[in-house]
Amino acid sequence: MATEVTVPTLGESITEATLGEWLKQPGDAVAADEPIASLETDKVSVEVPAPVAGVMGEHAVKPGDTVAVGAMIATIEAGDGAAPAKKEAPAGETKGNADNSDEARTGEGKGPAEQIREREQDAPAGDTPAALSPSVRRAILEHGVDPATIKGTGKDGRITKDDVVAAAAKPAPSTSAPVEAAPVAASAPSGRKEERVRMTRLRQTIAKRLKEAQNTAAILTTFNDCDMTAVVEARAKYKDLFEKKHGVRLGFMGFFVKAACMALKDVPSVNASIEGEEIVYHDYADISVAVSAPGGLVVPVIRDADQMSVAEVEKTIGDFGKRAKDGTLKMEEMKGGTFTISNGGVFGSLMSTPIINPPQSGVLGLHRIEDRAVVVDGQIVIRPMMYLALSYDHRLVDGREAVTFLVALKNAIEDPTRILIDL
């Protein structure tokens, strides 16, 4: 008797998703609650667990297909699963296959995604090392390594994300003797290649929302710079004690989140939003923090950041960053938010004009810290400086308010004591 596998509930207002990939193939043995497929929603990837133990039946949909909540996507048959017998190659194909055996073994000419698919198709059913979790798949695609060359150190020989990172860090093996390249004919093609990859649902949603923001809001950006000397010195002085006590590294984001919360109290319109013909003012600060993930940028929310300490903010951001890379962020963690902070400085950005995250009316862009010559008390000195950028919805926030917000933020960063005494 077959048991149907249906699309689980994905969250409030989410009615459909895209099938990302099958983690189990027909004939594979599956355990109850074992992930058998991954779904891509507008915000995160969700694994579909097996409702019962048995043998994977036929797939009802293909990767890339859109499926509705509650729709059947596969079946699970009763049984333990058995390894399918390998097909013998026809006699006429033996020689041709032998000519390409080296390429088949090494995966030469194939991308990581194709190597992953071939690894699973060629592996016998129930071969646990071939069952790659979504986070491992993303790591393989990100680092561009061949999964066939990785020795798994996880349970039952499973490949872990650390195994992929370690394999990527190893230098490529060199051949014992150089091989002379065959001469290229004059009429041979240039060898340039193109690869077409379907946009993930997350990337499609990002593109759609960014364009909607430009079409709807009157976005304007104003700039300022701040002297990071005081924060850099405080971090250098207390980072070891901070990490020992709180179990998390002391970064710069904790200071900026707290400084932004103070500035939002001074300029409440930057923390407000437009709904129809009404302006909604918030007496709390839910700070959205832009975090880089393998599938694109995600923006989890620090709830009631204005009530948190710097340590609590740093712990929350660290947890978000780790789970964003693993693809385990929950959808409810990315809903809401009254103001956004995006730190392009970690990638080396000097200056940018960030786009607001509707219905929010403001986003703060942070950039890299670099030593610059500035004038202090009539003297030219070298100070670690950072450019700040505030993009805001000019329908709601006036230029005077935007500048006032940045000045308040700048004052708090240049004199962190203000954060402690709420000044």
Side-chain angles (χ1 to χ4, degrees):
M1 180 178 178
T3 301
E4 293 185 353
V5 180
T6 59
V7 178
T9 301
L10 302 172
E12 183 181 357
S13 76
I14 298 180
T15 60
E16 62 180 20
T18 300
L19 182 69
E21 58 184 336
W22 284 107
L23 307 180
K24 289 291 185 178
Q25 300 300 322
D28 289 353
V30 296
D33 296 326
E34 181 180 7
I36 60 175
S38 67
L39 300 174
E40 295 177 354
T41 69
D42 292 349
K43 297 182 178 180
V44 293
S45 294
V46 178
E47 292 181 341
V48 179
V52 296
V55 179
M56 191 68 202
E58 292 299 322
H59 298 160
V61 294
K62 303 184 299 295
D65 289 350
T66 298
V67 292
V69 172
M72 187 195 77
I73 58 175
T75 59
I76 295 180
E77 308 288 344
D80 298 328
K86 293 186 178 180
K87 296 181 179 179
E88 295 292 336
E93 297 181 5
T94 303
K95 184 178 183 302
N97 290 342
D99 295 337
N100 297 325
S101 59
D102 290 340
E103 181 175 345
R105 285 194 298 269
T106 61
E108 182 180 356
K110 299 181 177 67
E114 187 176 351
Q115 293 170 12
I116 292 174
R117 289 193 295 269
E118 289 190 354
R119 172 182 170 86
E120 293 184 342
Q121 291 170 357
D122 294 342
D127 184 9
T128 306
L132 305 178
S133 67
S135 62
V136 172
R137 293 167 184 270
R138 283 190 290 271
I140 289 175
L141 295 176
E142 180 181 350
H143 292 284
V145 297
D146 181 1
T149 63
I150 304 175
K151 182 178 180 181
T153 60
K155 182 179 179 181
D156 299 328
R158 280 182 178 271
I159 296 176
T160 66
K161 187 176 179 181
D162 291 338
D163 296 333
V164 178
V165 174
K170 292 181 180 179
S174 57
T175 55
S176 57
V179 179
E180 183 176 354
V184 180
S187 59
S190 62
R192 296 187 301 173
K193 296 182 180 180
E194 292 182 350
E195 182 180 4
R196 292 181 180 269
V197 180
R198 181 184 177 91
M199 289 179 68
T200 64
R201 179 174 288 267
L202 174 60
R203 176 51 60 183
Q204 293 179 42
T205 302
I206 291 173
K208 180 180 178 181
R209 287 181 60 82
L210 291 178
K211 189 57 183 174
E212 285 178 351
Q214 288 184 320
N215 293 340
T216 302
I219 302 176
L220 186 64
T221 305
T222 187
F223 299 92
N224 209 323
D225 63 359
C226 68
D227 186 345
M228 297 290 292
T229 299
V231 170
V232 169
E233 290 178 350
R235 181 173 180 268
K237 182 177 181 179
Y238 297 111
K239 64 179 182 179
D240 292 336
L241 291 174
F242 186 90
E243 185 172 4
K244 183 178 180 180
K245 179 176 181 178
H246 300 290
V248 65
R249 294 180 61 187
L250 176 61
F252 297 115
M253 281 296 289
F255 291 97
F256 276 102
V257 169
K258 295 301 296 180
C261 290
M262 293 176 55
L264 291 174
K265 290 181 180 179
D266 293 341
V267 191
S269 61
V270 182
N271 197 41
S273 59
I274 295 178
E275 291 186 8
E277 297 181 353
E278 297 180 333
I279 299 175
V280 180
Y281 292 95
H282 309 286
D283 63 354
Y284 53 88
D286 287 350
I287 306 297
S288 304
V289 182
V291 177
S292 179
L297 200 68
V298 294
V299 192
V301 180
I302 306 175
R303 310 286 179 187
D304 296 314
D306 54 319
Q307 305 298 321
M308 290 184 173
S309 66
V310 172
E312 290 172 330
V313 170
E314 290 289 0
K315 288 180 180 179
T316 304
I317 294 175
D319 178 60
F320 283 159
K322 180 179 183 300
R323 291 193 290 125
K325 293 180 180 179
D326 294 339
T328 57
L329 280 174
K330 299 178 181 178
M331 283 175 288
E332 55 267 24
E333 293 174 315
M334 289 180 281
K335 293 180 180 179
T338 61
F339 183 76
T340 296
I341 299 179
S342 177
N343 186 7
V346 296
F347 304 109
S349 172
L350 176 63
M351 188 178 294
S352 66
T353 56
I355 299 178
I356 63 175
N357 181 23
Q360 298 174 15
S361 61
V363 54
L364 175 67
L366 307 180
H367 303 91
R368 74 171 184 249
I369 303 172
E370 63 176 6
D371 289 339
R372 293 203 300 269
V374 296
V375 178
V376 178
D377 298 329
Q379 301 293 323
I380 298 178
V381 295
I382 303 297
R383 293 292 174 84
M385 304 295 293
M386 175 193 286
Y387 286 117
L388 305 175
L390 176 70
S391 290
Y392 56 97
D393 189 346
H394 211 343
R395 298 177 303 166
L396 177 57
V397 182
D398 295 330
R400 176 183 60 83
E401 294 172 311
V403 173
T404 301
F405 173 89
L406 276 184
V407 170
L409 181 79
K410 169 186 171 75
N411 290 338
I413 293 297
E414 293 184 343
D415 184 6
T417 304
R418 290 173 174 263
I419 298 177
L420 298 177
I421 61 177
D422 193 15
L423 181 61

